[in-house]
Amino acid sequence: MSSQSQSYFERAQNILPGGVNSPVRACKSVGCDPLFIHRAAGSRMWTVDGDELLDFVMSWGPMLLGHANPAVEEAAIWALKNGASFGAPCPAEVELGELIREIMPNMEMVRMVSSGTEATMSAVRLARGFTGRAKVLKFDGCYHGHSDGFLVSAGSGVATLCIPGTPGVPDAIANLTLLAPYNDLGAVAAQFEAHGDDIACVIVEPVAGNVGLIAPAPGFLQGLRDLCTKYGALLIFDEVITGFRVALGGASQRFGVTPDLVTLGKIIGGGFPVGCYGGKKEIMAHIAPSGPVYQAGTLSGNPVAMAAGIATLKQLAKQDYAALEKRTAAFAGEMADILRAKGRKVTLNQMASMFTLFFTETPVTDYATAKTADGAVYGEFYRQMRGFGVNLAPSGFECAFTSFAHTDDDLKKALEAARKVQL
Ligand SMILES: *Cc1c(COP(=O)(O)O)cnc(C)c1O
């Protein structure tokens, strides 16, 4: 069977490594080729072959309002007509910054960047500059973008493709990254006992979303807060996925724990390339030009992306998060039951509008337990669901996302597809 997607993928493999511009899109771990997308709207995408997909990837999280949201589209087009980039300050940067601070009061000052990777990389540089220390503690399976020091025991595509470490990251840099298992405060305390004077920051996904969804155990985030305070290290919440998702005010709001710095991305750009880091004023004041820690960006605070971000956050502030959480929980629960009825062991992790179905009977609380899930069964499930027009994450180690555009009929349709799957 030859399709336009296939012929694009053949061409793509001759011009883009692996045929893609980001590894997880290649669908390698689920044993098939990617579909090329022509258009998306609401909860749907349409392939270049005209096939409709009910989408639960949502661009890996950004499209919480649904694809091609009319108000976001209108704001971006209006901004674009006035010029795509100025390289000079524009009002929208201030407006989006203030809007973020209104929603997340911990973000006393912010700096806009162009991706989540840039946000986390810059936040760590700031933590190092502020504390005068070099080491960073991260958690096994957490993904913080692709900058060098974060690719040690990382999640997302690094986990999906089983890449052990990453060539290109010198040992001298990898050695500055300390590790602990997610949800293991004892291991964090041990690292602080051994390296306390050298740890600039602890960076954590307050709800892990890059080895599939893993919730923080009760007391875990507060425990990190306490250890960081005790040893004079900064606590960074990487809310690139969870910001505006697990609650309007993100995980800091949902769990009532205050980090020193927060990184944002994905939803904040409404589909445009935007990242942001921010936090306490006294720390953010160390960023150039108000302080000595250098960080810059030609397209940072881009007027079109800022307009899309403002339109996104203004609408999100009016949405019923509790209702979407309830519908997502019921939907994911029923999906898990359908798979169990087929004789499969399933561990369902779900929070707000995100969930992961792990094909394992082991409760999944960290990277090691996530790895007990059967990737081959997930691949089979993924391929059959896609055949029925339902687009799930192309890896068993990623979250599925619902959005405010997903209707009850959409969810029903996805469940009908799951019933037809043969595992
Ligand atoms: C996606 C992601 C990033 C990286 O963001 P990019 O925009 O892809 O660079 C960082 N941290 C977390 C938690 C993410 O999920």
Side-chain angles (χ1 to χ4, degrees):
M1 189 188 73
S2 152
S3 68
Q4 291 210 47
S5 263
Q6 274 172 341
S7 74
Y8 272 114
F9 193 48
E10 273 159 34
R11 279 167 62 189
Q13 284 168 297
N14 283 316
I15 180 72
L16 311 171
V20 290
N21 280 312
S22 194
V24 278
R25 292 180 200 165
C27 297
K28 255 184 164 172
S29 79
V30 285
C32 54
D33 290 340
L35 297 175
F36 278 65
I37 303 302
H38 165 60
R39 187 169 85 80
S43 61
R44 309 291 163 126
M45 298 199 295
W46 289 269
T47 70
V48 288
D49 293 293
D51 295 323
E52 183 176 290
L53 290 170
L54 175 51
D55 192 17
F56 291 94
V57 180
M58 304 310 284
S59 188
W60 301 87
M63 315 313 291
L64 179 54
L65 288 167
H67 292 288
N69 175 269
V72 174
E73 192 181 280
E74 194 186 336
I77 290 170
W78 183 88
L80 180 58
K81 285 191 168 162
N82 289 313
S85 179
F86 310 137
C90 70
E93 299 171 85
V94 184
E95 275 171 44
L96 182 57
E98 289 174 350
L99 197 50
I100 293 166
R101 187 175 53 193
E102 237 170 76
I103 295 170
M104 301 177 167
N106 304 332
M107 300 288 263
E108 293 169 7
M109 277 194 147
V110 299
R111 166 63 61 87
M112 301 294 174
V113 291
S114 297
S115 69
T117 292
E118 249 188 285
T120 53
M121 181 183 86
S122 309
V124 164
R125 182 180 305 144
L126 173 58
R128 285 174 166 153
F130 181 78
T131 59
R133 300 171 177 181
K135 292 199 160 106
V136 172
L137 192 150
K138 77 176 280 287
F139 294 89
D140 292 316
C142 278
Y143 180 68
H144 304 292
H146 65 83
S147 81
D148 287 349
F150 290 138
L151 291 181
V152 182
S153 195
S156 189
V158 189
T160 299
L161 301 178
C162 296
I163 301 170
T166 302
V169 178
D171 287 347
I173 289 177
N175 290 341
L176 294 175
T177 303
L178 303 173
L179 291 168
Y182 198 79
N183 276 328
D184 188 343
L185 270 182
V188 179
Q191 289 285 25
F192 268 113
E193 270 158 40
H195 307 280
D197 293 342
D198 299 329
I199 298 177
C201 61
V202 171
I203 184 164
V204 65
E205 289 181 71
V207 177
N210 280 291
V211 280
L213 176 68
I214 300 175
F220 176 58
L221 299 175
Q222 185 59 50
L224 295 181
R225 173 68 279 174
D226 296 342
L227 282 166
C228 285
T229 304
K230 178 176 168 193
Y231 286 95
L234 300 189
L235 178 60
I236 305 175
F237 276 5
D238 180 357
E239 297 227 42
V240 170
I241 288 185
T242 56
F244 317 104
R245 163 103 32 202
V246 299
L248 180 64
S252 323
Q253 180 188 60
R254 185 169 180 131
F255 298 100
V257 175
T258 306
D260 299 293
L261 295 172
V262 172
T263 55
L264 298 170
K266 298 195 168 118
I267 291 171
I268 203 183
F272 287 83
V274 182
C276 170
Y277 63 102
K280 296 195 173 128
K281 212 169 191 165
E282 79 209 66
I283 302 171
M284 289 303 289
H286 285 248
I287 292 288
S290 79
V293 178
Y294 198 73
Q295 187 273 309
T298 302
L299 297 177
S300 295
N302 174 268
V304 181
M306 295 295 102
I310 292 166
T312 298
L313 297 196
K314 279 190 174 163
Q315 287 178 89
L316 285 177
K318 291 184 240 156
Q319 301 297 318
D320 187 345
Y321 276 73
L324 181 58
E325 170 144 24
K326 205 169 152 197
R327 291 167 64 224
T328 304
F331 165 67
E334 202 166 334
M335 178 95 72
D337 286 342
I338 288 168
L339 296 171
R340 288 183 191 120
K342 296 177 196 294
R344 293 294 170 181
K345 305 281 189 221
V346 176
T347 291
L348 167 65
N349 284 2
Q350 179 270 330
M351 183 181 292
S353 48
M354 52 203 280
F355 67 92
T356 302
L357 296 156
F358 294 96
F359 286 99
T360 178
E361 57 191 325
T362 312
V364 176
T365 56
D366 58 13
Y367 191 24
T369 46
K371 281 197 278 195
T372 65
D374 189 330
V377 176
Y378 184 86
E380 188 60 41
F381 178 53
Y382 170 87
R383 292 192 299 275
Q384 289 189 42
M385 287 296 274
R386 200 173 86 172
F388 295 131
V390 179
N391 189 46
L392 299 171
S395 161
F397 299 106
E398 299 282 0
C399 292
F401 296 103
T402 57
S403 77
F404 288 107
H406 283 75
T407 64
D408 287 338
D409 270 356
D410 290 338
L411 302 182
K412 211 187 283 173
K413 184 181 175 232
L415 292 174
E416 274 159 26
R419 280 190 195 97
K420 286 190 272 181
V421 166
Q422 293 179 342
L423 287 179

